[in-house]
Amino acid sequence: MTDSVYVGNAGRDAALDRGWLLGHFKDASDPRHSEDVEIKWGVHPQGDERAQWVTGEERTALLVLISGRFRVELPGRSVLLAEQGDYVVWGRGVGHSWFAEEESVVLTVRWPSVPGYKVRDEDDSAAGHSHASQTATGPMAS
């Protein structure tokens, strides 16, 4: 294996970084570092929901259902992803929220990878994380 190749398991690797597999937040020497795209393997227990509505989004996003039943709330509409492979895409400026109707696994791809967006929660404060979600002043989250 060379320094420009990384082989891993999404489930195991995601557990190390709040689901995030690839993006600007990985070390620059890591092949998973990218300023062009972010990829998240999201594992959500039934009833899990987004802590805050995302507003002021600066990225385009694609969310694909791997398993379960997952609802994405967008301005003026609710999208239910119920069959493996169902997906939704939303563009820059489109806010969102989500809810896991069943235990769900989703793959999220966002572009570009934008530093500085984070939802703060108790786990983040304790762990010192600086990437995976949205603040009241700016976006990031899935």
Side-chain angles (χ1 to χ4, degrees), residues 19-23 25 37-41 107-110:
W20 294 101
L21 302 175
L22 188 143
F25 35 79
V37 67
E38 299 169 353
I39 298 177
K40 181 176 186 178
W41 183 260
L107 178 73
T108 303
V109 180
R110 296 188 304 207

Side-chain angles (χ1 to χ4, degrees), residues 61-108:
L62 161 73
L63 189 143
V64 181
L65 181 69
I66 305 300
S67 64
R69 189 173 167 94
F70 199 80
R71 182 170 300 280
V72 179
E73 300 294 337
L74 300 164
R77 78 185 290 185
S78 182
V79 177
L80 178 62
L81 306 176
E83 293 184 33
Q84 184 178 53
D86 284 354
Y87 68 95
V88 60
V89 177
W90 61 92
R92 294 178 184 192
V94 177
H96 75 280
S97 189
W98 52 257
F99 179 77
E101 292 192 356
E102 296 177 355
E103 182 175 325
S104 300
V105 176
V106 296
L107 178 73
T108 303

